[in-house]
Amino acid sequence: MKFLTIIIFLAQLAVTFFGNTVSNAINEFGFDLLRVIPKDSNLFFSPTSISVALTMTSVGADGETLQEMLNVLHISDLDEQSVLRNYKNLVDLLNQTTEDYELRFANALWAQKGYPFLEGFLKIVSQNFHAPVEQVDFVDNLQREQTRLKINEWISKITEGKIPQLISEDDINELTRLILTNAIYFKGKWLHQFDPSKIEKDIFHSLEGDVQVDMMRIKESFEYYEDESVQLAKLPYAGEKLYMLVVLPKQENGTQELEKKLNSELFESWINSTSSAVVDLSMPKFKFRNRLSLVKILQKLGMKLAFENLADFSRMTPRNDLKITQILHEAFIEVNEKGSEAAAATAVIMGIKMAPALQIVLKLDKPFLFFIVEKSQNLVLFMGRVAKP
């Protein structure tokens, strides 16, 4: 069994704190991502982080480019002022540190100095997403590397070192003009902690075969629900403002089928249908991280123009010569008997539009045809096929 809803855990933070149409949009966006991200391994990501970074970027988009972004983010039916107001509230709410848990959420813009970004764009993003704007230099090779290290250091600080190197040297170049970043970090203790003495070696039936794991076990009163398809439980963190929802499909290897039909309506029906019950819960300890490039994934969802030379980011710069060149996301999760630690970061990288590259590569490494032609008459004297040289 794979913990289906653990991988959308950070989206659930939005539901817990911010139950409105924007949080529903973030969740729906997360379920869309879940359906299109390859399913051959463990997965963990923050739809909230990705959504916020893309929404900040959309403030500078216009026309069909903007419409595609809003559609993919599920906020096309909301007016811009409402979206901005709700995201501002969301950013405020996702910064809480108490004696029970730590929750940090931060945004920043890293803008090429001297490049004519529209003041209105920078002001809207800065005010509504609490995203300070820092002037940097991507053009100079030495300055670009220092900027990259500075951005990674900022992300690492927010995430307590869990996301130390989001942006690599190959992700930016002298044509980069803007990077929009988001980072989120959570660390919380279980309200009902697992007894370390009851952790035992057990078998986990993965899709690739049985593996041995450290299995935690607790018998406690949890909010629980089951139907013909799933069993699920809410595991509250100390302070009871956050919880982890674990969902176990009853069908063998049923996570993929469940992911196909998962949407906000089904998700809300789950969380609204739980009731208190004594549950004998067994759960493996686990820790892993994922790093994703989201360009192809978002293109599959319908966000295409933003990455092309036809991209319209005219509300970002009067030159309208920018497009998204890369979207990077990395997330980390550790779940043990004490609680959970999770971190994620997203970077939307904007660069100058370029004409198609003139360099052409022709590698005849599969069957091909060939012809010998008389030039003056374009007469084919010989023709053939190389199927196996």
Side-chain angles (χ1 to χ4, degrees):
M1 189 276 288
K2 295 183 179 179
F3 288 90
L4 170 63
T5 314
I6 290 175
I7 63 180
I8 52 171
F9 165 68
L10 291 174
Q12 180 58 33
L13 298 182
V15 173
T16 306
F17 284 132
F18 198 59
N20 62 19
T21 50
V22 167
S23 61
N24 289 337
I26 292 173
N27 290 346
E28 199 69 66
F29 173 60
F31 302 142
D32 288 345
L33 290 174
L34 187 61
R35 278 187 285 274
V36 297
I37 293 176
K39 301 171 174 60
D40 57 352
S41 63
N42 293 329
L43 178 62
F44 182 68
F45 65 95
S46 170
T48 299
S49 175
I50 301 168
S51 178
V52 168
L54 285 174
T55 303
M56 287 195 297
T57 309
S58 75
V59 172
D62 206 355
E64 193 173 347
T65 302
L66 173 61
Q67 193 59 47
E68 284 185 355
M69 296 184 75
L70 297 181
N71 289 343
V72 169
L73 292 166
H74 292 276
I75 52 176
S76 59
D77 293 336
L78 305 177
D79 67 272
E80 186 172 68
Q81 290 306 311
S82 174
V83 169
L84 293 174
R85 181 173 61 253
N86 289 335
Y87 270 99
K88 185 176 186 299
N89 292 337
L90 178 64
V91 175
D92 290 336
L93 287 168
L94 291 182
N95 273 296
Q96 299 192 25
T97 297
T98 71
E99 61 182 14
D100 297 317
Y101 62 86
E102 294 179 61
L103 183 60
R104 297 185 212 139
F105 194 84
N107 299 308
L109 268 62
W110 313 83
Q112 174 65 41
K113 63 181 181 181
Y115 184 82
F117 290 102
L118 292 172
E119 285 300 320
F121 163 73
L122 297 177
K123 183 177 180 181
I124 290 173
V125 174
S126 178
Q127 289 182 349
N128 292 279
F129 294 86
H130 300 306
V133 181
E134 180 149 353
Q135 301 293 322
V136 295
D137 189 354
F138 295 110
V139 177
D140 179 82
N141 290 341
L142 181 60
Q143 292 294 318
R144 180 167 65 251
E145 177 60 12
Q146 291 177 351
T147 297
R148 184 183 73 85
L149 295 175
K150 189 173 186 177
I151 297 173
N152 283 338
E153 183 181 359
W154 178 87
I155 293 171
S156 182
K157 183 177 180 180
I158 300 297
T159 62
E160 289 292 321
K162 300 305 178 185
I163 313 292
Q165 295 289 332
L166 178 65
I167 301 174
S168 68
E169 293 182 32
D170 294 335
D171 294 323
I172 58 176
N173 56 39
E174 69 277 5
L175 300 178
T176 302
R177 292 297 178 267
L178 176 67
I179 299 180
L180 304 95
T181 54
N182 169 270
I184 183 170
Y185 174 80
F186 167 72
K187 186 175 184 179
K189 298 178 181 179
W190 300 121
L191 178 64
H192 309 296
Q193 293 200 0
F194 294 83
D195 185 346
S197 67
K198 294 183 179 179
I199 298 175
E200 297 180 346
K201 296 293 183 181
D202 206 340
I203 299 299
F204 184 90
H205 305 289
S206 76
L207 293 175
E208 291 76 29
D210 291 351
V211 293
Q212 190 176 69
V213 298
D214 289 325
M215 191 71 76
M216 306 180 293
R217 188 171 180 179
I218 190 172
K219 191 173 184 179
E220 188 58 68
S221 178
F222 294 112
E223 288 291 308
Y224 174 82
Y225 170 75
E226 73 171 285
D227 57 25
E228 67 278 1
S229 301
V230 297
Q231 291 177 278
L232 60 88
K234 297 175 180 177
L235 281 58
Y237 293 98
E240 298 188 75
K241 290 187 176 180
L242 301 164
Y243 64 87
M244 177 181 286
L245 182 72
V246 292
V247 180
L248 177 66
K250 290 186 175 180
Q251 179 184 350
E252 187 175 355
N253 299 330
T255 53
Q256 293 189 13
E257 287 302 314
L258 201 56
E259 289 167 13
K260 290 178 183 177
K261 64 180 183 180
L262 184 55
N263 55 29
S264 290
E265 183 178 357
L266 177 58
F267 188 72
E268 288 181 25
S269 73
W270 283 347
I271 62 177
N272 292 331
S273 299
T274 61
S275 58
S276 182
V278 176
V279 180
D280 186 351
L281 173 68
S282 296
M283 178 176 176
K285 296 172 61 173
F286 59 91
K287 178 172 70 172
F288 57 86
R289 69 174 62 243
N290 285 121
R291 177 181 170 85
L292 301 168
S293 170
L294 295 171
V295 174
K296 292 183 179 179
I297 292 169
L298 291 168
Q299 286 172 333
K300 286 183 180 179
L301 293 178
M303 183 177 144
K304 299 178 180 179
L305 284 173
F307 305 104
E308 300 176 0
N309 285 342
L310 294 174
D312 183 353
F313 286 99
S314 55
R315 296 197 303 165
M316 184 179 291
T317 169
R319 291 182 181 176
N320 195 19
D321 60 350
L322 296 183
K323 65 179 179 180
I324 298 175
T325 58
Q326 181 62 281
I327 301 177
L328 301 170
H329 183 74
E330 187 170 340
F332 166 89
I333 179 73
E334 180 174 8
V335 174
N336 57 33
E337 67 273 18
K338 295 180 179 179
S340 304
E341 186 175 19
T346 305
V348 178
I349 301 174
M350 312 281 302
I352 299 291
K353 299 173 184 176
M354 289 288 290
L358 295 178
Q359 181 180 353
I360 296 173
V361 176
L362 176 59
K363 188 176 183 180
L364 300 175
D365 59 353
K366 53 188 175 183
F368 63 95
L369 302 178
F370 67 96
F371 307 86
I372 298 177
V373 181
E374 193 282 324
K375 183 178 179 180
S376 66
Q377 303 295 320
N378 289 327
L379 175 65
V380 176
L381 300 179
F382 304 92
M383 68 175 63
R385 177 198 305 122
V386 176
K388 185 179 179 181

